């Protein structure tokens, strides 16, 4: 059709050849990381689009609501920063937007007034339920339609180990 742009998600992603490495451009280590990062980026875009369309929030806001759902007694801002792998400033801006959207509230801790605790509002809990349903449907469509249950379980185990190793090596964000 003239005048339409092709869907970038439908196009294969070509990774540029590195300018320097200790292996050839077809080195399986390069391919492994390229496939991992490209797939993660595509999945995040597709899941984020479904969450935005159905719940009206960003994927980052969904992640915050998930973290908060585990601690109804409030979550310190510093814990959110670490869980989201964001700087404290980035977390503050995200929480500010969520307060404006009435998804969360922020209050000083009764034990230490220097600590800000974040709580989910009733509106935030309803939004989380809508977003989680959209995320689950999209995950079923994208992931579970492509992989067997055994393949999906093996992938989760491998990615969990990889993520724990990477997190242990990542310096704290400020």
């Amino acid at each position: 059709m003239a005048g339409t742009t092709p869907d970038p998600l439908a196009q294969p992603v070509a990774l540029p050849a590195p300018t320097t490495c200790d292996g050839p451009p077809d080195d399986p280590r390069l391919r492994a990381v390229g496939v991992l990062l490209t797939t993660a980026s595509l999945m995040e875009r597709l899941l984020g689009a479904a969450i935005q369309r159905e719940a009206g929030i960003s994927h980052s806001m969904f992640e915050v609501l998930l973290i908060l759902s585990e601690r109804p007694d409030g979550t310190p801002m510093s814990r959110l920063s670490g869980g989201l792998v964001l700087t404290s400033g980035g977390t503050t801006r995200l929480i500010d937007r969520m307060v404006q959207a009435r998804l969360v509230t922020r209050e000083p801790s009764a034990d230490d007034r220097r600590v800000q605790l974040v709580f989910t509002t009733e509106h935030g809990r309803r939004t989380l339920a809508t977003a989680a349903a959209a995320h689950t449907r999209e995950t079923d469509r994208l992931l579970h339609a492509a992989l067997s249950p055994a393949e999906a379980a093996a992938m989760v185990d491998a990615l969990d180990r990889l993520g724990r190793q990477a997190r242990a090596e990542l310096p704290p964000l400020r």
Side-chain angles (χ1 to χ4, degrees):
M1 211 186 291
T4 62
T5 53
D7 180 0
L9 298 177
Q11 303 300 315
V13 176
L15 299 174
T19 54
T20 61
C21 74
D22 66 358
D26 62 348
D27 186 320
R29 295 170 296 178
L30 295 174
R31 176 164 164 59
V33 172
V35 166
L36 172 69
L37 296 177
T38 299
T39 302
S41 179
L42 293 169
M43 292 292 289
E44 182 157 2
R45 283 179 62 192
L46 292 165
L47 292 169
I51 290 167
Q52 181 69 48
R53 183 176 55 252
E54 294 189 36
I57 62 171
S58 69
H59 197 259
S60 296
M61 289 179 179
F62 174 64
E63 289 180 23
V64 168
L65 292 173
L66 282 174
I67 292 168
L68 294 176
S69 71
E70 296 171 1
R71 303 221 11 206
D73 56 331
T75 303
M77 290 283 288
S78 59
R79 181 178 172 129
L80 290 174
S81 293
L84 298 169
V85 193
L86 288 175
T87 64
S88 61
T91 301
T92 297
R93 287 186 294 277
L94 177 59
I95 296 302
D96 286 346
R97 289 192 305 274
M98 293 180 75
V99 167
Q100 289 176 335
R102 300 179 351 267
L103 298 166
V104 300
T105 59
R106 184 174 37 209
E107 302 171 15
S109 168
D111 299 329
D112 183 348
R113 298 197 58 79
R114 296 171 296 176
V115 174
Q116 291 284 308
L117 296 176
V118 181
F119 299 87
T120 307
T121 64
E122 182 57 38
H123 176 62
R125 285 187 283 282
R126 285 192 311 271
T127 301
L128 173 59
T130 301
H135 190 282
T136 301
R137 275 192 306 279
E138 200 68 1
T139 298
D140 285 346
R141 187 178 76 77
L142 296 168
L143 185 104
H144 298 295
L147 301 176
S148 70
E151 290 170 321
M155 179 197 68
V156 168
D157 288 342
L159 290 173
D160 184 52
R161 283 193 313 274
L162 183 60
R164 279 183 277 141
Q165 178 179 333
R167 188 172 292 278
E169 293 190 23
L170 187 67
L173 296 171
R174 302 269 181 237

